[in-house]
Amino acid sequence: MKTSVIVIGDELLIGQVTDTNSGFLARTMAPYGWEVEWIQTVPDTEEAITRAVNEALERSQVVLTTGGLGPTKDDITKSTLCKIFGGTLREDPAVTENILEVFKKRGLKLNELTARQAWVPTSAHVIQNRVGTAPVMWFETEEPRHVLVAMPGVPFETEHVFSHEVLPRLLETFPSQYAVSHRTLMVSDITESALAMRLAHWEESLPKHLHLAYLPKPGLIRLRLDGHSRQRDTLEREIDQAVAELKALCSENLLYDGDATPAEILLHELKKHGATVATAESCTGGNIARLITSIPGSSECMQGGVVAYSNDVKANVLGVDRNALATYGAVSEPVVLQMAQGACRVTNASIAVATSGIAGPGGGTDVKPVGTVCIAAASATGETIVHTYHFPGNRSRVVDRASTTALLMAIRLLRNLPKTTN
Amino acid sequence: MKTSVIVIGDELLIGQVTDTNSGFLARTMAPYGWEVEWIQTVPDTEEAITRAVNEALERSQVVLTTGGLGPTKDDITKSTLCKIFGGTLREDPAVTENILEVFKKRGLKLNELTARQAWVPTSAHVIQNRVGTAPVMWFETEEPRHVLVAMPGVPFETEHVFSHEVLPRLLETFPSQYAVSHRTLMVSDITESALAMRLAHWEESLPKHLHLAYLPKPGLIRLRLDGHSRQRDTLEREIDQAVAELKALCSENLLYDGDATPAEILLHELKKHGATVATAESCTGGNIARLITSIPGSSECMQGGVVAYSNDVKANVLGVDRNALATYGAVSEPVVLQMAQGACRVTNASIAVATSGIAGPGGGTDVKPVGTVCIAAASATGETIVHTYHFPGNRSRVVDRASTTALLMAIRLLRNLPKTTN
C-alpha cells in the first residue's frame, strides 16, 4: 500500500519548525507494509494545498495531511478540503462536547475561536481528537477508492490520534497481503567507506528484493536491511539468513543487533550486569544524562550526575584535586578521570563517564583547539578507560560526538568488567 | 525568488532520520527574500529523483537537493543528475585532492569507494566541499535560466557548504530587489485562542502585505509578523509600527522581543544582572542544563548542575533533608525547594532551578499521576518560587514542558530580584 504525506504550514517553509510528523507516520506504518512514497511540505495557501492534495490523490490510495487545523486565521486546511471534497461547514455537537472536555481538563474557558473548531465539512467523517481541540477528518472518494485523513500539526496530537484511531481504520479499510521487513544492526569504530568495501562482495550477492542501506551517525553506522515480498514466511527466513551473514562480516565492529541508540544499548548492558551509572559532564553540559534519562525505565540504572561546568563544581562537588586542575588544566586526562571517579563515589554508581573539552566556538588554544575532548569511564571497582579526542565541527556536533563516544566507552568498560553481580 | 528543495533518501521515507536540511536552507535564504515554495522528500530511486527534479525545475528557478551523494551503493543522485543534465562521469583531480585532504585530517586512509566520489558529471560545475568527501554540483539550464545545486545530506556539511559557497553564488547569479521582513515576539502565560481573540481586531486592520502567524510551543507562543514589499524602506517602517502595536497588545504576556528560546532569554537576563545559574534536576534528567549549555558563551553564567535521579544523590550531593524525602516524598514542593537551594549552595550560583516529578510512563499514583512536576527557583539571597504542575502527554512532552516552565520561572525570579550587581 502506497501513501502520500502532506505537511502543511508556513512555519515549515521558513524553517522555523522542523517536521517530525511525516517520520512518525512512516515509522508507524512500515511494519504493516505501508510505504510512504512521497512527502510534500506546502504553505498555508488554498492554491498550494489544493494542488498538493490533487497530485497526492492521483499518486496514492491513502493521503495523510498534518497541520493547518488550528483556531487562528492562518489555518485554512479545513475550508480548502471542504472545497475539494464538497459539502459545507456545519457544527458537529460531538466535537463541541470534546472541545469542552479538553478545555475543562486544562482548566480553560471556551472562547469563540476555539468553538469554531467544531465546524466540520459535511463531506467528512469526523474522528474525535481526545488530546486536542482540532477534530480529525476522514474523506473518501469512490471508484477508485481513495482516502484522505486530515490530522492536526501538533506532534503529540498527531501521534496519539494516528496510533489509536486512524491506523486501525486504515488497516481495516485496506487489508494487505504484502510483506515488508526491516532489520537494523549498529556498527562502530569503522568508516562508512571501509565498511562498504568489506561488505561489497556480499551485497552484490543479495537477492534483488533485499536491500542494504548505510545510515552513518556521529560515531557509528546504522546498517539497515530491507526486504519486500509476497511470501511472508520465505522473506523472514531470507532476512534472518542475511542478517546472520552480515553480523559475521561486521565481526568485532558489531555493536548491537537491533535499532537502538548508544544510551539504549548502555541501559541494556547495565541491566544485564545489574549495574548502575552516573555522569560527570563538563563540555557535554548535561547532554549525556539527558540521553540516558529520556529512556523510560532508566531510573532503575541511572543514579544521577553532575554538570561540572565551573572548576569550583569540579572540585567541590566531584572532589577533583585543585592541584590537578592547576597543573594539567580542566581539559586533561587526569582531571576527567578524577571527574568520573568522583561521580562514581558521590552517587554510589557502579560505573561513571566523564567529559571535559572545548566545544567552541570560543575557548580554543594552539595546544587544545576547539573540538579537543577528554573522556573517561571508571568503575567503582577501579577499572578505568581515558582518552583524548579531536572532534570536527561546530559546538552541537562536538557535543553530539563527545556524548556518543562517552556512551560507547561506558559500554566497552561494562563488557570488560568481571560479572560478579549475576 | 522562489526555490524548491528536494530531500533525497530512503531513510527519510521510513522515518529513521528527520530532515533538518530543508529548514536550515529556508531560514538561511529568508533574509534575502528567497522563499522556499516547495519541499519534497523522495526515495533513492532514479524514477523518483528524476520526476521530482523535473517538476521542481518547472516550478522554481532555483532547485536545491540534499542527500544521496555518499560513497555507497544506495546513493544514486549523482548518476541520476548526470542522466538528466547530460554529460558523462569523469574524475575531477581537484576533488580527489580535497578528499585526500579531508581523509588526512581525519587520520584515515583513502579507499576505492571514497575515491569514486571524485567522479562528477561533465555537465556540472563543481564546488569543493571542504568539510566532507562528497563534492557539491551546480547544474544550469539556459533559456529560461534555472539552477540546480546538489549538496550532501549530512546536515553539518550542507550547512557549511551552503552558507560559505552556494548562497553567495546564488545571490550573485540572481540579484533581487524584493524586500521581505520577519519579526518574532515571544509570548507566555496565555492560550493561543485567547491571544488570537485579543489580537483579532488589530489583525483585521493590518495591511494586506503584512501577515501574523501563531506558532505555539510547549508553554509559550511565538508570534511572527511577516511582510513582503517592493519598497524596502516603507516595509521596515510598517513592520516597526506594527510590532510596537503588537507589543502593547501583548502587554504583560510579552516575554521577549525577538526569536529566542527560554534558555537564551534566561542567559540574556543573567548577563544583564551579572548573575549565574545552576540546575538541580530529577525528572528533567539533565535537559535544562543541556538547553542552557548548548548556547555558545553560556559558561560565563552557568556554574553547573546536579542530575539528582536517586534519593541518595538528592540527599548526599544537594543536602536535601532525608526527613523531608520520607515525609513528603521526592515529588513535593518542600523537596524541590531544598534541591534548588542546595544547587545554589554547592555551585555558588546566584540562582538555581530544580525539578522533581513523574515523567512516566511508569511511576504514577492516584495522588501524584504521571505529569505531576514540582518546580522551584531559588536565589542565593533567599528569594524563592515553588509550584506544582500537571503536564499532559508522554515522557518527552512532560520533560519539555517542565524544562520550559523551569526556565521561565528562573527568568521571573531574576526580573524580580533587586539589582545589586549593576
Side-chain angles (χ1 to χ4, degrees), chain A residues 251-332:
Chain A
S251 168
E252 79 285 0
N253 297 113
L254 180 71
L255 179 67
Y256 191 71
D257 179 354
D259 190 7
T261 65
E264 286 167 339
I265 302 170
L266 173 60
L267 279 178
H268 177 85
E269 288 287 332
L270 286 166
K271 281 179 191 163
K272 235 170 60 185
H273 283 80
T276 57
V277 69
T279 55
E281 307 184 59
S282 185
C283 67
T284 52
N287 192 49
I288 300 174
R290 177 192 72 97
L291 290 169
I292 297 171
T293 59
S294 68
I295 303 163
S298 52
S299 55
E300 256 182 72
C301 305
M302 174 67 167
Q303 289 292 104
V306 175
V307 179
Y309 234 50
S310 71
N311 279 352
D312 276 354
V313 173
K314 289 185 185 79
N316 297 345
V317 182
L318 291 172
V320 173
D321 178 12
R322 288 204 185 258
N323 282 332
L325 281 166
T327 312
Y328 307 106
V331 181
S332 66

Side-chain angles (χ1 to χ4, degrees), chain A residues 283 331 356-365 367-375 387-399 401-402 405:
Chain A
C283 67
V331 181
S356 184
I358 298 143
T365 64
V367 186
K368 293 175 186 173
V370 168
T372 305
V373 182
C374 300
I375 302 180
H387 195 73
T388 302
Y389 299 86
H390 297 278
F391 298 122
N394 59 13
R395 187 177 183 87
S396 75
R397 207 168 132 93
V398 169
V399 169
R401 279 300 293 271
T405 305

Side-chain angles (χ1 to χ4, degrees), chain B residues 114-129:
Chain B
T114 307
R116 279 296 294 185
Q117 294 201 286
W119 288 64
V120 287
T122 47
S123 48
H125 169 73
V126 168
I127 298 172
Q128 293 300 339
N129 172 3

